[in-house]
Short mmCIF file of all heavy atoms in Angstrom, two decimals:
data_model
loop_
_atom_site.label_atom_id
_atom_site.label_comp_id
_atom_site.label_asym_id
_atom_site.label_seq_id
_atom_site.Cartn_x
_atom_site.Cartn_y
_atom_site.Cartn_z
N ALA A 89 17.42 -0.68 4.81
CA ALA A 89 18.11 0.56 5.18
C ALA A 89 19.56 0.58 4.72
O ALA A 89 20.09 1.64 4.40
CB ALA A 89 18.02 0.78 6.68
N ALA A 90 20.22 -0.56 4.68
CA ALA A 90 21.61 -0.66 4.23
C ALA A 90 22.51 0.39 4.87
O ALA A 90 23.25 1.08 4.19
CB ALA A 90 21.67 -0.59 2.71
N GLY A 91 22.41 0.54 6.18
CA GLY A 91 23.26 1.46 6.92
C GLY A 91 22.82 2.91 6.89
O GLY A 91 23.45 3.76 7.49
N ARG A 92 21.74 3.22 6.18
CA ARG A 92 21.24 4.59 6.14
C ARG A 92 20.36 4.85 7.35
O ARG A 92 19.77 3.93 7.92
CB ARG A 92 20.41 4.82 4.87
CG ARG A 92 21.23 4.71 3.60
CD ARG A 92 20.36 4.92 2.39
NE ARG A 92 19.54 3.72 2.20
CZ ARG A 92 18.78 3.50 1.15
NH1 ARG A 92 18.69 4.39 0.19
NH2 ARG A 92 18.09 2.40 1.03
N PRO A 93 20.22 6.12 7.73
CA PRO A 93 19.25 6.43 8.79
C PRO A 93 17.84 6.11 8.30
O PRO A 93 17.59 6.12 7.09
CB PRO A 93 19.42 7.94 9.02
CG PRO A 93 20.19 8.45 7.87
CD PRO A 93 20.90 7.30 7.22
N VAL A 94 16.96 5.81 9.22
CA VAL A 94 15.57 5.50 8.87
C VAL A 94 14.64 6.40 9.66
O VAL A 94 14.98 6.91 10.73
CB VAL A 94 15.20 4.02 9.12
CG1 VAL A 94 16.01 3.10 8.25
CG2 VAL A 94 15.34 3.67 10.59
N VAL A 95 13.46 6.58 9.10
CA VAL A 95 12.39 7.30 9.78
C VAL A 95 11.27 6.30 10.04
O VAL A 95 10.75 5.69 9.11
CB VAL A 95 11.88 8.49 8.93
CG1 VAL A 95 10.67 9.13 9.56
CG2 VAL A 95 13.00 9.50 8.74
N MET A 96 10.96 6.13 11.31
CA MET A 96 9.87 5.23 11.71
C MET A 96 8.57 6.01 11.71
O MET A 96 8.50 7.13 12.20
CB MET A 96 10.11 4.70 13.13
CG MET A 96 11.35 3.87 13.32
SD MET A 96 11.18 2.22 12.67
CE MET A 96 9.98 1.53 13.77
N LEU A 97 7.55 5.39 11.16
CA LEU A 97 6.22 5.99 11.26
C LEU A 97 5.71 5.82 12.68
O LEU A 97 5.92 4.77 13.29
CB LEU A 97 5.26 5.31 10.29
CG LEU A 97 5.46 5.60 8.82
CD1 LEU A 97 4.50 4.76 7.98
CD2 LEU A 97 5.26 7.07 8.52
N PRO A 98 5.02 6.81 13.22
CA PRO A 98 4.38 6.61 14.51
C PRO A 98 3.43 5.41 14.42
O PRO A 98 2.87 5.13 13.36
CB PRO A 98 3.61 7.91 14.74
CG PRO A 98 4.27 8.91 13.85
CD PRO A 98 4.78 8.15 12.68
N THR A 99 3.26 4.70 15.51
CA THR A 99 2.45 3.48 15.53
C THR A 99 1.07 3.71 14.93
O THR A 99 0.61 2.94 14.08
CB THR A 99 2.32 2.96 16.97
OG1 THR A 99 3.63 2.73 17.48
CG2 THR A 99 1.53 1.67 17.03
N ARG A 100 0.40 4.77 15.34
CA ARG A 100 -0.94 5.08 14.84
C ARG A 100 -0.93 5.26 13.32
O ARG A 100 -1.80 4.74 12.61
CB ARG A 100 -1.45 6.34 15.55
CG ARG A 100 -2.74 6.92 15.02
CD ARG A 100 -3.14 8.21 15.75
NE ARG A 100 -2.09 9.20 15.85
CZ ARG A 100 -1.80 10.08 14.87
NH1 ARG A 100 -2.48 10.07 13.75
NH2 ARG A 100 -0.85 10.96 15.03
N VAL A 101 0.07 5.96 12.81
CA VAL A 101 0.16 6.21 11.37
C VAL A 101 0.50 4.92 10.64
O VAL A 101 -0.09 4.61 9.59
CB VAL A 101 1.20 7.31 11.07
CG1 VAL A 101 1.46 7.44 9.58
CG2 VAL A 101 0.75 8.64 11.67
N GLY A 102 1.42 4.13 11.18
CA GLY A 102 1.78 2.86 10.55
C GLY A 102 0.59 1.93 10.44
O GLY A 102 0.41 1.24 9.43
N LEU A 103 -0.25 1.91 11.46
CA LEU A 103 -1.45 1.07 11.45
C LEU A 103 -2.42 1.53 10.36
O LEU A 103 -2.98 0.72 9.63
CB LEU A 103 -2.11 1.12 12.83
CG LEU A 103 -3.18 0.10 13.14
CD1 LEU A 103 -2.64 -1.32 13.02
CD2 LEU A 103 -3.71 0.33 14.55
N LYS A 104 -2.58 2.84 10.22
CA LYS A 104 -3.48 3.38 9.20
C LYS A 104 -2.94 3.09 7.79
O LYS A 104 -3.71 2.73 6.89
CB LYS A 104 -3.66 4.88 9.40
CG LYS A 104 -4.46 5.22 10.65
CD LYS A 104 -4.49 6.71 10.90
CE LYS A 104 -5.28 7.02 12.14
NZ LYS A 104 -6.40 7.91 11.89
N VAL A 105 -1.64 3.24 7.60
CA VAL A 105 -1.03 2.95 6.30
C VAL A 105 -1.20 1.47 5.98
O VAL A 105 -1.54 1.10 4.85
CB VAL A 105 0.45 3.37 6.26
CG1 VAL A 105 1.17 2.81 5.04
CG2 VAL A 105 0.56 4.90 6.30
N ALA A 106 -1.00 0.61 6.97
CA ALA A 106 -1.17 -0.83 6.76
C ALA A 106 -2.62 -1.16 6.38
O ALA A 106 -2.86 -1.98 5.50
CB ALA A 106 -0.75 -1.61 8.00
N LEU A 107 -3.57 -0.51 7.03
CA LEU A 107 -4.98 -0.75 6.70
C LEU A 107 -5.27 -0.27 5.28
O LEU A 107 -5.91 -0.99 4.50
CB LEU A 107 -5.90 -0.04 7.71
CG LEU A 107 -7.40 -0.20 7.46
CD1 LEU A 107 -7.81 -1.68 7.45
CD2 LEU A 107 -8.19 0.59 8.51
N TYR A 108 -4.79 0.89 4.92
CA TYR A 108 -4.98 1.42 3.56
C TYR A 108 -4.38 0.46 2.53
O TYR A 108 -5.05 0.12 1.54
CB TYR A 108 -4.32 2.80 3.46
CG TYR A 108 -4.26 3.36 2.07
CD1 TYR A 108 -5.35 3.99 1.50
CD2 TYR A 108 -3.09 3.26 1.31
CE1 TYR A 108 -5.30 4.52 0.22
CE2 TYR A 108 -3.03 3.77 0.02
CZ TYR A 108 -4.13 4.40 -0.52
OH TYR A 108 -4.08 4.91 -1.79
N ARG A 109 -3.16 0.01 2.76
CA ARG A 109 -2.51 -0.90 1.81
C ARG A 109 -3.28 -2.22 1.70
O ARG A 109 -3.45 -2.77 0.61
CB ARG A 109 -1.06 -1.18 2.23
CG ARG A 109 -0.16 0.06 2.11
CD ARG A 109 1.30 -0.23 2.39
NE ARG A 109 1.87 -0.74 1.14
CZ ARG A 109 2.22 -2.01 0.93
NH1 ARG A 109 2.12 -2.89 1.89
NH2 ARG A 109 2.70 -2.37 -0.23
N THR A 110 -3.77 -2.73 2.82
CA THR A 110 -4.52 -3.98 2.83
C THR A 110 -5.84 -3.82 2.08
O THR A 110 -6.23 -4.70 1.31
CB THR A 110 -4.75 -4.45 4.28
OG1 THR A 110 -3.47 -4.60 4.93
CG2 THR A 110 -5.48 -5.78 4.32
N MET A 111 -6.53 -2.72 2.31
CA MET A 111 -7.79 -2.47 1.61
C MET A 111 -7.55 -2.38 0.10
O MET A 111 -8.31 -2.95 -0.68
CB MET A 111 -8.43 -1.17 2.11
CG MET A 111 -9.00 -1.27 3.51
SD MET A 111 -9.54 0.35 4.15
CE MET A 111 -10.89 0.73 3.01
N ARG A 112 -6.52 -1.68 -0.31
CA ARG A 112 -6.22 -1.55 -1.76
C ARG A 112 -5.91 -2.90 -2.36
O ARG A 112 -6.39 -3.22 -3.45
CB ARG A 112 -5.06 -0.58 -1.99
CG ARG A 112 -5.51 0.86 -1.86
CD ARG A 112 -4.43 1.85 -2.25
NE ARG A 112 -3.97 1.74 -3.62
CZ ARG A 112 -4.55 2.27 -4.69
NH1 ARG A 112 -5.69 2.94 -4.54
NH2 ARG A 112 -4.02 2.17 -5.88
N ALA A 113 -5.12 -3.69 -1.65
CA ALA A 113 -4.76 -5.01 -2.18
C ALA A 113 -5.99 -5.90 -2.33
O ALA A 113 -6.06 -6.71 -3.26
CB ALA A 113 -3.73 -5.67 -1.26
N ALA A 114 -6.95 -5.74 -1.43
CA ALA A 114 -8.17 -6.55 -1.48
C ALA A 114 -9.26 -5.94 -2.36
O ALA A 114 -10.30 -6.56 -2.58
CB ALA A 114 -8.71 -6.75 -0.06
N GLY A 115 -9.04 -4.71 -2.83
CA GLY A 115 -10.05 -4.04 -3.65
C GLY A 115 -11.29 -3.66 -2.85
O GLY A 115 -12.39 -3.62 -3.39
N VAL A 116 -11.11 -3.35 -1.58
CA VAL A 116 -12.23 -3.04 -0.68
C VAL A 116 -12.32 -1.52 -0.49
O VAL A 116 -11.33 -0.87 -0.16
CB VAL A 116 -12.05 -3.74 0.68
CG1 VAL A 116 -13.09 -3.31 1.68
CG2 VAL A 116 -12.07 -5.25 0.49
N THR A 117 -13.50 -0.97 -0.71
CA THR A 117 -13.73 0.47 -0.53
C THR A 117 -14.02 0.79 0.94
O THR A 117 -14.30 -0.11 1.75
CB THR A 117 -14.93 0.93 -1.36
OG1 THR A 117 -16.12 0.30 -0.84
CG2 THR A 117 -14.74 0.60 -2.84
N ASN A 118 -13.98 2.07 1.25
CA ASN A 118 -14.34 2.51 2.60
C ASN A 118 -15.75 2.07 2.96
O ASN A 118 -16.01 1.60 4.07
CB ASN A 118 -14.26 4.04 2.71
CG ASN A 118 -12.86 4.58 2.60
OD1 ASN A 118 -11.89 3.84 2.43
ND2 ASN A 118 -12.73 5.89 2.66
N THR A 119 -16.67 2.25 2.03
CA THR A 119 -18.07 1.89 2.28
C THR A 119 -18.20 0.39 2.54
O THR A 119 -18.90 -0.02 3.47
CB THR A 119 -18.95 2.31 1.09
OG1 THR A 119 -18.80 3.72 0.90
CG2 THR A 119 -20.40 1.97 1.32
N GLU A 120 -17.52 -0.41 1.73
CA GLU A 120 -17.60 -1.86 1.91
C GLU A 120 -17.00 -2.30 3.24
O GLU A 120 -17.58 -3.11 3.95
CB GLU A 120 -16.90 -2.58 0.75
CG GLU A 120 -17.02 -4.08 0.83
CD GLU A 120 -16.36 -4.79 -0.34
OE1 GLU A 120 -16.04 -4.15 -1.35
OE2 GLU A 120 -16.17 -6.02 -0.22
N LEU A 121 -15.85 -1.75 3.59
CA LEU A 121 -15.24 -2.11 4.87
C LEU A 121 -16.16 -1.69 6.02
O LEU A 121 -16.38 -2.46 6.95
CB LEU A 121 -13.86 -1.48 5.03
CG LEU A 121 -13.17 -1.81 6.36
CD1 LEU A 121 -12.90 -3.31 6.48
CD2 LEU A 121 -11.88 -1.01 6.53
N GLY A 122 -16.70 -0.47 5.93
CA GLY A 122 -17.61 -0.01 6.97
C GLY A 122 -18.79 -0.96 7.15
O GLY A 122 -19.18 -1.27 8.26
N SER A 123 -19.33 -1.42 6.04
CA SER A 123 -20.45 -2.35 6.09
C SER A 123 -20.05 -3.65 6.79
O SER A 123 -20.82 -4.21 7.57
CB SER A 123 -20.93 -2.64 4.67
OG SER A 123 -21.92 -3.64 4.67
N ARG A 124 -18.85 -4.10 6.54
CA ARG A 124 -18.38 -5.36 7.14
C ARG A 124 -18.17 -5.25 8.65
O ARG A 124 -18.30 -6.24 9.36
CB ARG A 124 -17.06 -5.79 6.51
CG ARG A 124 -17.15 -6.24 5.07
CD ARG A 124 -15.79 -6.70 4.59
NE ARG A 124 -15.78 -6.98 3.16
CZ ARG A 124 -14.73 -7.45 2.51
NH1 ARG A 124 -13.60 -7.70 3.17
NH2 ARG A 124 -14.79 -7.68 1.22
N ILE A 125 -17.83 -4.04 9.13
CA ILE A 125 -17.49 -3.91 10.55
C ILE A 125 -18.45 -3.01 11.33
O ILE A 125 -18.21 -2.68 12.49
CB ILE A 125 -16.04 -3.42 10.74
CG1 ILE A 125 -15.82 -2.03 10.14
CG2 ILE A 125 -15.06 -4.43 10.17
CD1 ILE A 125 -14.44 -1.44 10.43
N GLY A 126 -19.56 -2.62 10.69
CA GLY A 126 -20.59 -1.86 11.40
C GLY A 126 -20.26 -0.39 11.60
O GLY A 126 -20.69 0.20 12.59
N LEU A 127 -19.51 0.21 10.67
CA LEU A 127 -19.22 1.64 10.73
C LEU A 127 -19.70 2.28 9.44
O LEU A 127 -19.81 1.62 8.41
CB LEU A 127 -17.71 1.88 10.87
CG LEU A 127 -17.03 1.34 12.13
CD1 LEU A 127 -15.52 1.57 12.04
CD2 LEU A 127 -17.60 1.99 13.38
N ASP A 128 -19.94 3.60 9.49
CA ASP A 128 -20.28 4.27 8.24
C ASP A 128 -19.00 4.69 7.52
O ASP A 128 -17.91 4.66 8.09
CB ASP A 128 -21.25 5.43 8.46
CG ASP A 128 -20.68 6.57 9.29
OD1 ASP A 128 -19.47 6.87 9.17
OD2 ASP A 128 -21.44 7.17 10.06
N GLU A 129 -19.15 5.09 6.27
CA GLU A 129 -18.00 5.42 5.43
C GLU A 129 -17.18 6.56 6.04
O GLU A 129 -15.95 6.57 5.98
CB GLU A 129 -18.48 5.80 4.02
CG GLU A 129 -17.37 5.99 3.01
CD GLU A 129 -16.75 7.37 3.00
OE1 GLU A 129 -17.40 8.32 3.47
OE2 GLU A 129 -15.60 7.49 2.51
N ARG A 130 -17.84 7.52 6.65
CA ARG A 130 -17.14 8.65 7.29
C ARG A 130 -16.21 8.17 8.40
O ARG A 130 -15.09 8.65 8.54
CB ARG A 130 -18.18 9.64 7.84
CG ARG A 130 -17.59 10.87 8.51
CD ARG A 130 -18.66 11.71 9.19
NE ARG A 130 -19.45 10.96 10.16
CZ ARG A 130 -19.06 10.68 11.40
NH1 ARG A 130 -17.89 11.06 11.83
NH2 ARG A 130 -19.84 10.02 12.22
N GLN A 131 -16.65 7.19 9.19
CA GLN A 131 -15.82 6.66 10.26
C GLN A 131 -14.61 5.91 9.70
O GLN A 131 -13.52 6.00 10.25
CB GLN A 131 -16.65 5.75 11.17
CG GLN A 131 -17.67 6.51 11.99
CD GLN A 131 -18.62 5.57 12.71
OE1 GLN A 131 -19.32 4.78 12.07
NE2 GLN A 131 -18.65 5.66 14.02
N VAL A 132 -14.82 5.19 8.62
CA VAL A 132 -13.69 4.49 7.99
C VAL A 132 -12.71 5.52 7.42
O VAL A 132 -11.50 5.37 7.57
CB VAL A 132 -14.17 3.51 6.89
CG1 VAL A 132 -12.98 2.92 6.14
CG2 VAL A 132 -15.04 2.41 7.51
N ARG A 133 -13.23 6.56 6.81
CA ARG A 133 -12.36 7.63 6.28
C ARG A 133 -11.53 8.23 7.40
O ARG A 133 -10.34 8.50 7.24
CB ARG A 133 -13.23 8.70 5.62
CG ARG A 133 -12.53 9.47 4.55
CD ARG A 133 -13.43 10.42 3.76
NE ARG A 133 -14.85 10.26 3.87
CZ ARG A 133 -15.69 11.14 4.40
NH1 ARG A 133 -15.22 12.28 4.89
NH2 ARG A 133 -16.98 10.92 4.45
N ARG A 134 -12.13 8.41 8.57
CA ARG A 134 -11.40 8.94 9.72
C ARG A 134 -10.33 7.96 10.20
O ARG A 134 -9.24 8.36 10.59
CB ARG A 134 -12.37 9.26 10.85
CG ARG A 134 -11.67 9.91 12.01
CD ARG A 134 -12.63 10.43 13.04
NE ARG A 134 -11.85 11.01 14.12
CZ ARG A 134 -12.30 11.27 15.30
NH1 ARG A 134 -13.56 11.02 15.59
NH2 ARG A 134 -11.53 11.79 16.22
N MET A 135 -10.65 6.67 10.15
CA MET A 135 -9.65 5.65 10.52
C MET A 135 -8.41 5.77 9.64
O MET A 135 -7.30 5.50 10.10
CB MET A 135 -10.22 4.24 10.36
CG MET A 135 -11.18 3.80 11.41
SD MET A 135 -11.82 2.13 11.08
CE MET A 135 -10.41 1.13 11.51
N LEU A 136 -8.59 6.16 8.39
CA LEU A 136 -7.50 6.23 7.43
C LEU A 136 -6.82 7.60 7.38
O LEU A 136 -5.78 7.74 6.75
CB LEU A 136 -8.01 5.86 6.03
CG LEU A 136 -8.49 4.42 5.87
CD1 LEU A 136 -9.21 4.26 4.54
CD2 LEU A 136 -7.34 3.45 6.00
N ASP A 137 -7.38 8.60 8.04
CA ASP A 137 -6.81 9.94 8.02
C ASP A 137 -5.59 9.98 8.95
O ASP A 137 -5.72 9.83 10.16
CB ASP A 137 -7.86 10.95 8.46
CG ASP A 137 -7.41 12.38 8.35
OD1 ASP A 137 -6.18 12.66 8.36
OD2 ASP A 137 -8.28 13.26 8.25
#
Side-chain angles (χ1 to χ4, degrees):
R92 295 179 286 189
V94 297
V95 173
M96 298 284 292
L97 288 175
T99 302
R100 171 182 51 83
V101 172
L103 193 59
K104 290 174 180 238
V105 168
L107 180 58
Y108 171 82
R109 292 186 84 251
T110 302
M111 288 172 65
R112 283 188 60 83
V116 173
T117 66
N118 292 0
T119 302
E120 183 178 346
L121 180 63
S123 174
R124 291 182 187 183
I125 62 174
L127 298 175
D128 64 36
E129 188 275 338
R130 181 188 56 80
Q131 290 171 301
V132 173
R133 207 172 345 115
R134 185 171 179 197
M135 285 178 74
L136 295 169
D137 185 336

